[in-house]
Structure formats: structure tokens, C-alpha cells
Amino acid sequence: MSEVLTFNNWLSGPSEDLVTINPKRTRKELSLDVLKVCERFSALSGTRILITTESNYSFLCLFLGIVLSGNVPVLIPQNAILKEERYALAELWVTEEDLSEILAVCPSKTPTKSDFRNSIVELYTSGSSGAPKKITKTIGQLDLEAAQTTRLLPKSEVEAVASTADSEHQYGLTFNIWLAMSHGLAIYDKRIKVPEDCSKIKVNSLLISTPSFLSNLDPALLPPPVKRVVSAGAPLTEKAASLVKNWLGCEITEIYGSTEAGVIAYRFTRDGNLSSLWTLFSDLSIIENRLVSTGRVLPSLILEDEYDFHNPRQFLLKGRKDNILKIGEERINLTNVEKTITQFYSMPCKVIPLKRNGRTLLGAVLLDPMVKEVSRLPAAKILSLRNGLKDKIPLLALPRFWRITPSWPQNNQGKILIRELRRFFDE
């Protein structure tokens, strides 16, 4: 695990090494299947091909085969948009069923190209706050990012990567696929969807996950041999950090990043306690909210968050700039409004800007697992809430519309889907 393998060398390691678990597949098997995929698409050139599969082995076969054939893999998080909309964003698409047909044919030739650093990968954001956005990266950029993740591996030996994240999302691509393949780790073939699935982890592993999943771990279950947890997608909660420490007996590496930039910074829990300061990865700097790198991100990428630097490499994350909304002459910090309502009502809250007859008004969604479905708050309750909050929140920041929900709509990365919350207010 000391040598970091680049994409060009993923298939050149020991042939009997495992690349996936449950079922077990070796590098030799992967190499043969990749050649079959490569041959199927070799008559095309530069074609954008959408990958749709829930199997990490199938993903590896398709991703590698499409790149080796000179085409462009298109990756869209599984629940970012409707299936029909996903297909419209690519020229071709390939599914698990298509792969079964491809693998039934024996390859007759091997690719002649051996350097894929400039080959293109097309990624899409999760669309948690709007329509998914296309991001284009090179294999070389993803290799550079993987080299940075080396510092996140635990000192104790690990053999595999298990994950709750979608491999078609940048987070899953980086940690399920690139980190594992670059460090010779096997990948569990299926995504972990519920805490009970953790029982399938049988060897010393990294667990790639999100705060929403980690907060729902069941300590009554037998703990799997997880040596470190990686978490991203939202701020880590004290509950999640405590559960991981008490149940799994390990610490969490928290990742701050984006689809556009990849990994930006990291921090570790200590004895199950949250850390406050983020540390930039060594190949990055932030200068006046511009991300500066040695080559793995777009030049002059403007970041959407605000930072409080304690030194050139470490900072506090203050929140998103776009959570500041201007209504009339008032600048309203939606995060502060949410915190005030949560403290006042003892329920988690999300505040959503809404357009009504050309005006911007606010809607509030409260979380209560005891309710059965999304519903409006009664008028008398809304009046009581607004009266109780009017001395704590500026008048223009008081939500006009109120809803209550038993659960947050979330994607596979644990991000709350703002566009879905906005639909709660459709008349």
C-alpha cells in the first residue's frame, strides 16, 4: 500500500489480487472483462457514454473499458434526476444488462494506447440545490487527487473499502474507486444501504460514508472490522462521531470538497470528539476565495463558502455565501434563521426561498419523525410561531409558509435535496 498506482497501472498489478469482494473478483478477471468492454466500444471515438450500475465490479469494467476505447464515461449520481433526464445527457448509455451481453463475447484484440492521463471523464453534481451541473475532468487530475488521499489511510493495515456512497458521484468515484484501486485495496461490490448491511464487512476495511448514515448506526449489532471511517457530504454530528467511536472503536476522517474541486481539506475526530479546524490538502491553497492548485482543479476556481483562516493551512468553515439572501434592503443569513427556529421550536429546520408573484418569501420546513407525511402547519400554530420569533428574527426573515415532514429528502451522499423541499410548497 506504499506505492500509489496511477490509472495507467491499475490492471498491471499481481493478477490474483482481489479487486472486489462479495463476489470475489481478481485483477486477472477484471483485465479480461475490461478488454471485452473496450472492444465493444472501440469503433466509436469520443462518444459520451452514461454508466448506470449498482455493482462496483460492473462499474470498474465499464469505466475502464470506455476510457481505454477512447470514449468518455458520463457519471450522474443515481437519484440526482429522473431516469429519462439522465439518458438525455449522454449519447449512449450502458446498464448492468448490457454489460452481461458484452462479457459473453471473447475479445480478439487489445488496446494500443497506454497513456490515459489526458482522457476525459464527465461528472455531474448531485443537484441537491438545483439542476445537476456538468464538470469535466481528466484522468490525470483524478490521479493527482488520489495521491493526496494517501494521508487518510490508517496506520493499521486495511484490505478493503466498503461504502454507502454512490460510485457515480465524485465522492464515491474518489474514495470507492480511485483510492481503492490506487492503493491495491479490494472494493465491496455492493453499496451499503442500511446499518444491517455492515455485517457483510468481514475483513479490515475503510468505511466510506456520510453523517446521515453514521447517525443511524445500530450499536446493538455486532461491530464489523472497520479501522477508519471517511465522512463527507455534510457537517459531521456529535451523535455520529460518538456512535462510530463507541461501536466501531475507530476515528473519523471528515472530508470537505466539491464535485468541481474534488477533495479540498480534511480533519480528524479525536477520541470521538469533533475537530473545528480544517487542514488543506498539500497541493492546494485558498487565496481570496479562489482555489489555487498544482493542476488537479480548474484554474481560479471560485469557492462558494466563507472561511476564517487561523494560519495559511488551517481554517474554520463559516458556511456558504449563497446562504446569504437579500430581501428588500435586508441581508438575511438563512443559516442563522434556521438555527434560531431550531432552538426556539426544538426541531431541526430548513428555510427555503420561494418566489411568489415576483416577490421572494421564505418557507420553513420542520423535521418531526412522529408525523406520518408532509403537511402544512395549522394557521394558529404558524401565528404562534411567528409571534414567538418576531423579537428574535428580522420581520423580513420570518418564514411566511410552514411545512412539517417526517424525514429529509436526501441523496445517496446524505445531502438534503433543496429542490425537493421547495416542492413541499407547490400549490
Side-chain angles (χ1 to χ4, degrees):
M1 242 166 52
S2 58
E3 180 187 0
V4 180
L5 298 174
T6 62
F7 178 91
N8 289 342
N9 299 311
W10 281 5
L11 299 178
S12 61
S15 61
E16 297 308 314
D17 278 2
L18 292 179
V19 291
T20 61
I21 299 175
N22 290 348
K24 292 181 178 180
R25 299 293 182 92
T26 65
R27 184 175 279 104
K28 180 179 179 180
E29 292 174 282
L30 176 64
S31 299
L32 179 61
D33 289 342
V34 167
L35 289 179
K36 294 176 182 178
V37 175
C38 180
E39 183 164 314
R40 169 61 68 92
F41 296 117
S42 61
L44 307 174
S45 179
T47 300
R48 298 165 54 255
I49 304 174
L50 174 69
I51 296 174
T52 301
T53 177
E54 293 198 2
S55 158
N56 281 319
Y57 182 77
S58 297
F59 181 93
L60 280 168
C61 292
L62 293 168
F63 186 87
L64 280 155
I66 290 169
V67 173
L68 268 59
S69 66
N71 294 289
V72 179
V74 177
L75 307 180
I76 305 174
Q78 290 177 12
N79 58 354
I81 50 178
L82 296 174
K83 184 170 151 182
E84 295 76 14
E85 295 172 320
R86 286 165 58 86
Y87 289 168
L89 293 174
E91 296 164 272
L92 291 176
W93 50 90
V94 60
T95 65
E96 199 88 36
E97 293 74 21
D98 299 322
L99 179 63
S100 297
E101 294 180 14
I102 293 170
L103 298 186
V105 179
C106 292
S108 59
K109 57 184 178 181
T110 59
T112 55
K113 184 178 177 181
S114 60
D115 187 357
F116 301 93
R117 286 174 294 179
N118 292 324
S119 297
I120 295 298
V121 179
E122 195 172 286
L123 298 147
Y124 280 80
T125 61
S126 62
S128 57
S129 56
K133 176 182 169 185
K134 183 173 77 172
I135 307 294
T136 300
K137 295 189 177 183
T138 66
I139 294 293
Q141 286 175 315
L142 294 167
D143 276 340
L144 288 169
E145 182 176 7
Q148 290 294 315
T149 62
T150 301
R151 70 183 67 246
L152 306 179
L153 295 172
K155 292 180 181 179
S156 57
E157 193 71 18
V158 294
E159 302 172 50
V161 173
S163 180
T164 70
D166 175 2
S167 292
E168 292 156 31
H169 185 279
Q170 169 73 70
Y171 178 42
L173 183 67
T174 298
F175 287 96
N176 302 357
I177 305 299
W178 235 272
L179 180 141
M181 294 300 292
S182 297
H183 294 89
L185 302 174
I187 311 166
Y188 278 88
D189 187 55
K190 297 295 184 182
R191 183 168 66 87
I192 292 174
K193 296 183 178 181
V194 294
E196 288 77 9
D197 287 345
C198 290
S199 63
K200 299 173 184 176
I201 302 174
K202 301 297 186 182
V203 300
N204 291 348
S205 300
L206 289 173
L207 175 61
I208 312 303
S209 194
T210 62
S212 59
F213 184 91
L214 298 174
S215 295
N216 290 298
L217 292 175
D218 185 355
L221 299 173
L222 188 68
V226 171
K227 297 304 177 183
R228 181 168 286 275
V229 172
V230 175
S231 175
L236 194 62
T237 63
E238 290 184 6
K239 178 184 178 182
S242 177
L243 271 172
V244 168
K245 184 63 177 178
N246 293 334
W247 187 51
L248 297 175
C250 67
E251 301 294 347
I252 302 174
T253 299
E254 196 173 2
I255 300 295
Y256 165 59
S258 67
T259 304
E260 295 89 337
V263 296
I264 297 173
Y266 61 92
R267 60 185 181 182
F268 304 113
T269 59
R270 306 290 183 189
D271 295 323
N273 297 313
L274 299 179
S275 174
S276 56
L277 289 179
W278 294 92
T279 300
L280 285 167
F281 282 94
S282 61
D283 64 338
L284 298 177
S285 299
I286 296 177
I287 302 175
E288 296 181 350
N289 272 83
R290 291 181 182 273
L291 190 64
V292 180
S293 80
T294 56
R296 68 176 168 95
V297 295
L298 299 175
S300 299
L301 183 64
I302 299 174
L303 299 171
E304 298 175 338
D305 292 311
E306 293 187 332
Y307 311 94
D308 180 9
F309 274 89
H310 285 221
N311 60 60
R313 307 299 306 165
Q314 292 186 303
F315 60 88
L316 286 173
L317 190 59
K318 296 173 67 176
R320 290 177 66 92
K321 288 181 179 179
D322 60 8
N323 236 23
I324 305 294
L325 182 70
K326 192 170 184 180
I327 301 180
E329 299 303 315
E330 191 89 40
R331 285 174 58 85
I332 296 168
N333 187 313
L334 297 183
T335 301
N336 289 343
V337 175
E338 291 169 350
K339 288 180 179 178
T340 301
I341 295 173
T342 296
Q343 291 170 357
F344 177 76
Y345 202 53
S346 299
M347 282 187 184
C349 172
K350 296 298 292 183
V351 174
I352 314 297
L354 304 168
K355 288 292 185 182
R356 293 290 186 271
N357 299 319
R359 298 174 59 200
T360 299
L361 301 172
L362 297 181
V365 183
L366 298 171
L367 178 68
D368 183 0
M370 301 303 293
V371 302
K372 293 183 178 180
E373 60 185 6
V374 177
S375 60
R376 299 184 183 193
L377 285 184
K381 190 67 177 178
I382 293 174
L383 180 62
S384 173
L385 274 170
R386 286 174 60 88
N387 285 336
L389 291 166
K390 65 183 180 181
D391 294 330
K392 299 176 176 63
I393 296 175
L395 181 61
L396 288 175
L398 273 176
R400 180 73 61 87
F401 309 100
W402 294 77
R403 301 289 186 269
I404 192 163
T405 180
S407 61
W408 297 129
Q410 294 178 320
N411 62 19
N412 291 341
Q413 285 64 53
K415 288 186 177 181
I416 296 173
L417 297 171
I418 302 301
R419 67 176 186 276
E420 295 298 325
L421 291 180
R422 193 170 280 117
R423 288 175 182 164
F424 291 176
F425 298 92
D426 289 347
E427 299 297 338

